[in-house]
Amino acid sequence: MRLLLINGPNLNLLGQREPSIYGSQTLESIETELKKKALTEGVQLDSFQSNFEGALIDRIQKAVKEVDGILINAGAYTHTSIALRDALVGVEIPYVELHLSNTHAREQFRHSSFLSDNAVGVISGFGAMSYHLALQGLLAHLRKTV
Ligand code: DQA
């Protein structure tokens, strides 16, 4: 099985960006940990980060017939991007939406998501652990154990 982890804008700054909200772990370290965990499950996990909406869409389109599932933290594009939503719906690859922070406990503009209603599930508010919970949930979904 092959999965893809996608991170959107500003998530390359994890570790230094608003650590009281997003924690002190870097994206690189989260990716390394998650890839290790995936391997113990016999799964290959690739990762991609971009600050550009079009680059994220290109990567999602490229994933067709390549990956079985997607983990996505789309950052602020979660709340703004119909184009990203259309890409995810279009490729018909099951995905889990995830966030480090609990977006519902923050500003009103973070309460809505263009991605949630089409997602397998949404994980929000557990810091770096959100990535691990999202992986666990996506695997259970793909293996039909939930
Ligand atoms: C985020 C939440 C978004 O509202 C924000 O724009 C981000 C990060 C999170 O992981 O908590 O960039 O997706």
Side-chain angles (χ1 to χ4, degrees), residues 4 14 41-42 61 88-89 133-134 140:
L4 174 64
L14 284 183
E41 296 278 349
Q61 290 183 3
L88 286 163
V89 172
L133 296 171

Side-chain angles (χ1 to χ4, degrees), residues 82-103:
I82 297 169
L84 199 56
R85 173 207 172 80
D86 284 350
L88 286 163
V89 172
V91 295
E92 295 183 342
I93 300 171
Y95 67 88
V96 170
E97 172 188 343
L98 75 101
H99 303 282
L100 294 132
S101 63
N102 177 356
T103 52

Side-chain angles (χ1 to χ4, degrees), residues 6-23:
I6 296 181
N7 279 282
N10 299 307
L11 292 162
N12 55 313
L13 296 181
L14 284 183
Q16 61 186 82
R17 171 193 183 202
E18 299 180 88
S20 61
I21 297 175
Y22 299 118

Side-chain angles (χ1 to χ4, degrees), residues 17-121:
R17 171 193 183 202
E18 299 180 88
S20 61
I21 297 175
Y22 299 118
S24 56
Q25 212 174 334
T26 63
L27 181 59
E28 196 187 351
S29 124
I30 292 172
E31 285 174 343
T32 304
E33 268 184 23
L34 208 68
K35 284 176 188 183
K36 262 193 217 156
K37 184 167 181 183
L39 273 183
T40 66
E41 296 278 349
V43 170
Q44 186 189 325
L45 179 73
D46 299 323
S47 59
F48 180 77
Q49 188 277 330
S50 179
N51 294 321
F52 295 90
E53 193 175 13
L56 296 166
I57 292 166
D58 281 347
R59 186 64 192 90
I60 290 165
Q61 290 183 3
K62 192 169 161 267
V64 176
K65 295 197 176 98
E66 248 183 38
V67 307
D68 304 295
I70 293 175
L71 302 164
I72 183 162
N73 183 352
Y77 288 145
T78 306
H79 321 296
T80 63
S81 179
I82 297 169
L84 199 56
R85 173 207 172 80
D86 284 350
L88 286 163
V89 172
V91 295
E92 295 183 342
I93 300 171
Y95 67 88
V96 170
E97 172 188 343
L98 75 101
H99 303 282
L100 294 132
S101 63
N102 177 356
T103 52
H104 295 281
R106 300 180 63 195
E107 302 96 324
Q108 187 71 36
F109 59 81
R110 295 187 205 277
H111 295 188
S112 66
S113 164
F114 281 111
L115 313 185
S116 299
D117 63 312
N118 187 58
V120 169

